[in-house]
């Protein structure tokens, strides 16, 4: 059994990392924050030109038709760069929701435009405090009413897939008078969130049913890949600083306590990477195993990124908390990702309640 990525997947990752290193350095992130930009639009266009936005979209709808592991390779690179793009919202969640639950007409209308980057979409599932995936919004006679908050990337989105009563999805174009968007204060300045009020907005029902859990499980795997990429970037940043920083006449990294910190982060990151790979495989090849695999990947991803972001700050010391240092980009993203799609307790419950998959049944 081969536990490694294929040569094609490794090449895909190298291409993504090269593009991001060129177009999204840390100084670029600071410029975006200083200008109060909601996203890095030139980077989004470049990702579209390289075909990354259409990686998991079927070929008949303008994509490349690749699998979950291929998409994960891209997500890992985006996480490492802390990229300010709506890839999770538009591609991982909204585009996949349309592929799973949309009619053929809806797929034909929207998936090619999402793959090309012409349209940005988001997935609106929360309704403030309460259930993570709330169904209070109502769709009657083609009109959507209710409130969704917080909704990631809603300020730049043209389209939303909205979770409505009964656990169904609805498609809503956001540029209409009956949709009101209000920007919220966000700890992660590079991934803004909004409150969206629907006041009888025109909307289309999506015919696919019982697709929420599969969509969320697949997105959890991709969130794990993003966390792994970011954790690895934190580890490398802390290692490089520890090797360069001199204290008491020797490199900071020469002290055993620092070595132990970084070793613990490395172990947690490799465990999370292994779980993410398994989740990607299950999404493609073993749907029965996906619920447990996704929950395990999500939990280990939360843990490794939290540990890496915090230890990176600690290794840097006081300078790590300044805007001029780069640690805060990852700490902010980690705090946001820790609750996106449900927090640690939510995913621990899903892991405990997951129906045994084929491995358990075979045993």
């Amino acid at each position: 059994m081969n536990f490694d990525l294929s040569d094609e997947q490794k090449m895909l990752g190298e291409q993504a990392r090269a593009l991001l290193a060129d177009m999204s350095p840390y100084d670029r992130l600071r410029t975006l924050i200083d200008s109060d930009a909601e996203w890095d639009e030139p980077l989004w266009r470049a990702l579209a030109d390289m075909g990354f936005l259409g990686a998991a979209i079927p070929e008949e709808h303008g994509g490349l038709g690749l699998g979950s592991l291929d998409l994960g390779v891209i997500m890992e690179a985006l996480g490492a760069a802390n990229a300010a793009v709506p890839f999770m919202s538009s591609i991982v969640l909204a585009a996949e929701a349309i592929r799973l639950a949309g009619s053929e007409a809806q797929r034909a209308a929207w998936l090619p435009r999402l793959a090309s980057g012409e349209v940005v979409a988001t997935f609106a599932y929360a309704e403030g405090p309460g259930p993570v995936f709330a169904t209070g919004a109502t769709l009657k006679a083609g009109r959507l009413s209710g409130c969704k908050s917080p909704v990631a990337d809603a300020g730049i989105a043209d389209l939303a897939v909205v979770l409505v009563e009964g656990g169904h999805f609805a498609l809503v174009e956001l540029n209409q008078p009956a949709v009101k968007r209000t920007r919220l204060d966000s700890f992660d300045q590079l991934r803004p969130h909004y409150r969206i009020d629907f006041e009888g907005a025109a909307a289309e029902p999506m015919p696919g049913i019982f697709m929420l859990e599969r969509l969320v499980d697949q997105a959890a795997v991709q969130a794990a890949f993003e966390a792994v990429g970011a954790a690895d970037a934190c580890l490398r940043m802390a290692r490089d600083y520890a090797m360069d920083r001199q204290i008491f006449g020797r490199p900071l990294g020469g002290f055993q306590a620092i070595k132990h910190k970084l070793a613990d982060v490395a172990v947690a990151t490799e465990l999370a990477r292994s779980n993410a790979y398994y989740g990607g495989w299950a999404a493609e090849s073993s749907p029965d195993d996906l619920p447990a695999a996704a929950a395990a990947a999500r939990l280990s991803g939360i843990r490794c990124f939290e540990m890496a972001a915090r230890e990176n700050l600690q290794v840097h010391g006081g300078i790590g908390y300044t805007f001029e240092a780069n640690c805060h980009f990852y700490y902010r993203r980690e705090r946001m990702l820790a609750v996106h799609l449900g927090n640690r307790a939510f995913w621990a419950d899903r892991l405990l309640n997951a129906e045994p998959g084929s491995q358990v049944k075979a045993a």
Side-chain angles (χ1 to χ4, degrees), residues 232 235 260-273 307:
D232 192 65
L235 175 61
H260 286 178
K261 281 178 177 287
L262 298 185
D264 288 343
V265 173
V267 170
T269 302
E270 286 307 307
L271 175 62
R273 178 177 281 112
M307 181 186 297

Side-chain angles (χ1 to χ4, degrees), residues 2-325:
N2 185 6
F3 292 97
D4 199 6
L5 298 174
S6 68
D7 290 341
E8 291 79 8
Q9 289 166 335
K10 291 177 182 178
M11 185 179 298
L12 181 67
E14 290 171 0
Q15 291 173 338
R17 288 189 293 273
L19 174 65
L20 290 161
D22 180 54
M23 295 195 65
S24 188
Y26 295 124
D27 285 343
R28 173 63 175 166
L29 302 183
R30 266 184 282 275
T31 298
L32 292 170
I33 292 174
D34 285 338
S35 62
D36 199 30
E38 297 202 23
W39 64 323
D40 191 338
E41 188 171 359
L43 176 59
W44 186 250
R45 303 304 170 202
L47 290 168
D49 291 342
M50 292 284 287
F52 293 135
L53 301 188
I57 291 175
E59 291 183 77
E60 62 266 29
H61 295 304
L64 301 179
L66 302 179
S68 182
L69 275 173
D70 304 283
L71 191 64
V73 168
I74 299 170
M75 283 296 292
E76 187 173 348
L78 290 169
N82 205 81
V85 291
F87 197 92
M88 172 63 78
S89 297
S90 191
I91 303 303
V92 174
L93 285 165
E96 184 63 10
I98 294 171
R99 188 189 72 83
L100 289 173
S103 65
E104 186 52 47
Q106 289 167 339
R107 295 188 194 110
W110 295 110
L111 290 181
R113 300 172 71 187
L114 290 168
S116 70
E118 175 190 350
V119 167
V120 173
T122 189
F123 180 58
Y125 61 87
E127 296 176 4
V132 176
F133 297 95
T135 56
T138 60
L139 179 64
K140 296 180 179 178
R143 294 291 170 177
L144 179 64
S145 299
C147 171
K148 290 291 182 178
S149 176
V151 183
D153 304 305
I156 58 175
D158 308 289
L159 180 73
V161 176
V162 182
L163 179 62
V164 300
E165 60 181 348
H168 302 299
F169 297 151
L171 269 177
V172 187
E173 294 188 54
L174 296 179
N175 298 315
Q176 55 176 297
V179 176
K180 179 183 178 183
R181 290 178 271 188
T182 305
R183 187 169 180 174
L184 305 174
D185 292 333
S186 178
F187 187 62
D188 185 352
Q189 296 161 292
L190 296 173
R191 190 165 291 178
H193 286 68
Y194 278 72
R195 170 191 171 110
I196 307 181
D197 291 288
F198 301 101
E199 302 168 349
E204 295 180 19
M206 297 171 67
I209 59 174
F210 308 125
M211 294 296 180
L212 177 62
E213 288 203 1
R214 180 168 181 82
L215 174 67
V216 171
D217 284 340
Q218 292 180 172
V221 172
Q222 298 306 319
F225 274 109
E226 182 178 5
V228 166
D232 192 65
C234 290
L235 175 61
R236 293 172 185 273
M237 187 186 298
R239 178 206 62 189
D240 292 347
Y241 181 80
M243 292 174 67
D244 290 340
R245 177 76 164 93
Q246 297 289 316
I247 185 169
F248 301 117
R250 59 187 290 194
L252 177 62
F255 291 89
Q256 191 174 52
I258 299 299
K259 293 179 182 179
H260 286 178
K261 281 178 177 287
L262 298 185
D264 288 343
V265 173
V267 170
T269 302
E270 286 307 307
L271 175 62
R273 178 177 281 112
S274 177
N275 284 333
Y277 284 1
Y278 177 58
W281 170 83
E284 294 180 15
S285 306
S286 185
D288 286 346
D289 289 315
L290 179 58
R298 176 74 173 129
L299 286 168
S300 57
I302 290 173
R303 179 177 179 271
C304 84
F305 193 11
E306 178 182 46
M307 181 186 297
R310 293 187 177 190
E311 295 295 4
N312 188 29
L313 280 169
Q314 293 297 321
V315 168
H316 278 75
I319 195 172
Y321 290 83
T322 66
F323 186 70
E324 288 72 22

